[in-house]
Amino acid sequence: MGLLIVLSGPAGVGKGTVCTALRSRMPELVYSVSATTRHPRPGEIDGVNYFFKSREQFLQMIDHDAMLEHAEYVGNFYGTPRDFVDETLANGKNVILEIEVQGAMKVKDKFPEAVMVFLLPPSLAELKARITGRGTETLDTINTRMNVAVEELSLLSQYDYAVMNDEIDNACDKIRSIILAENCRRERLPAHILAMGAATEKA
Ligand code: 5GP
């Protein structure tokens, strides 16, 4: 089984940017493309950034139990298609989900062995600047996102790791180290490697 890595944290902390940078440094990491009812932003491509769905299509996916988790976030649905994640993990590959905190908590319930990584902003002021600076949202949306973000920060205690996104390279280095270390955990080693240790003990 591969590792399921959940990268989450408050809105505007830079999850998307860090995840993209991490994927270019770790091409072996498999990214799960989410489904959403949000409209595409300029430059976003269906099937690459998201699977863009109508509300009806999204609700149908939920009905068919096709979502590993889903959440309603600032008026839109977001969710992780289940089959792709299950199949990729079963093939022994590591999968990364870049999702908001409600969905992350649902994944933690279903996959207690998931590696939960929380991305922190350097400060609240910096977080507000980032939410405002995105430039693609209305003032109402910015205010809603800031209020949500402050609530989201309180979920930090539910995570295994906290990584401050002060600088993208630093954050990527830390997450890469977390993934490498988690892959070396004794309890995750394949049986034939564990057997090597058992044989040496006896010898
Ligand atoms: P955006 O609209 O800016 O692309 O994403 C809004 C939020 O939705 C971000 O915090 C992003 O991490 C989160 N998100 C993206 N995909 C998923 C998903 O599949 N499930 C959940 N729960 N959140 C998601």
Side-chain angles (χ1 to χ4, degrees), residues 12 176 190 193:
R176 183 164 179 275
I193 308 267

Side-chain angles (χ1 to χ4, degrees), residues 112-128:
E113 70 280 18
V115 178
M116 305 292 297
V117 181
F118 195 85
L119 206 56
L120 281 170
S123 66
L124 277 182
E126 177 64 27
L127 185 63
K128 178 146 198 192

Side-chain angles (χ1 to χ4, degrees), residues 39-84:
H39 292 300
R41 296 193 181 119
E44 285 185 333
I45 298 169
D46 189 36
V48 174
N49 304 93
Y50 282 105
F51 295 107
F52 294 101
K53 303 283 179 195
S54 67
R55 222 172 156 85
E56 292 68 37
Q57 287 171 323
F58 197 100
L59 293 174
Q60 211 169 38
M61 286 180 80
I62 298 173
D63 274 355
H64 293 163
D65 203 23
M67 293 295 192
L68 179 62
E69 61 75 33
H70 71 275
E72 191 164 1
Y73 181 83
V74 202
N76 288 302
F77 284 121
Y78 295 84
T80 305
R82 175 196 300 278
D83 285 355
F84 178 78

Side-chain angles (χ1 to χ4, degrees), residues 21-172:
L22 184 70
R23 286 165 63 201
S24 71
R25 288 165 175 76
M26 299 187 76
E28 70 280 15
L29 197 56
V30 180
Y31 175 69
S32 157
V33 177
S34 297
T36 184
T37 58
R38 157 166 94 54
H39 292 300
R41 296 193 181 119
E44 285 185 333
I45 298 169
D46 189 36
V48 174
N49 304 93
Y50 282 105
F51 295 107
F52 294 101
K53 303 283 179 195
S54 67
R55 222 172 156 85
E56 292 68 37
Q57 287 171 323
F58 197 100
L59 293 174
Q60 211 169 38
M61 286 180 80
I62 298 173
D63 274 355
H64 293 163
D65 203 23
M67 293 295 192
L68 179 62
E69 61 75 33
H70 71 275
E72 191 164 1
Y73 181 83
V74 202
N76 288 302
F77 284 121
Y78 295 84
T80 305
R82 175 196 300 278
D83 285 355
F84 178 78
V85 172
D86 285 348
E87 286 161 18
T88 312
L89 290 175
N91 284 333
K93 294 187 182 144
N94 294 342
V95 177
I96 188 158
L97 308 183
E98 182 257 289
I99 60 177
E100 54 69 60
V101 291
Q102 304 166 57
M105 289 301 97
K106 290 182 200 155
V107 176
K108 186 179 150 124
D109 273 352
K110 286 190 187 162
F111 284 83
E113 70 280 18
V115 178
M116 305 292 297
V117 181
F118 195 85
L119 206 56
L120 281 170
S123 66
L124 277 182
E126 177 64 27
L127 185 63
K128 178 146 198 192
R130 288 181 193 182
I131 287 176
T132 310
R134 180 140 51 191
T136 50
E137 316 294 349
T138 63
L139 195 62
D140 262 4
T141 307
I142 290 170
N143 284 336
T144 311
R145 285 194 174 209
M146 192 60 205
N147 291 338
V148 172
V150 169
E151 263 179 48
E152 290 171 333
L153 274 170
S154 66
L155 286 167
L156 170 64
S157 61
Q158 302 297 310
Y159 286 74
D160 302 310
Y161 296 95
V163 171
M164 187 175 282
N165 185 19
D166 49 358
E167 214 249 303
I168 290 174
D169 275 342
N170 278 344
C172 283

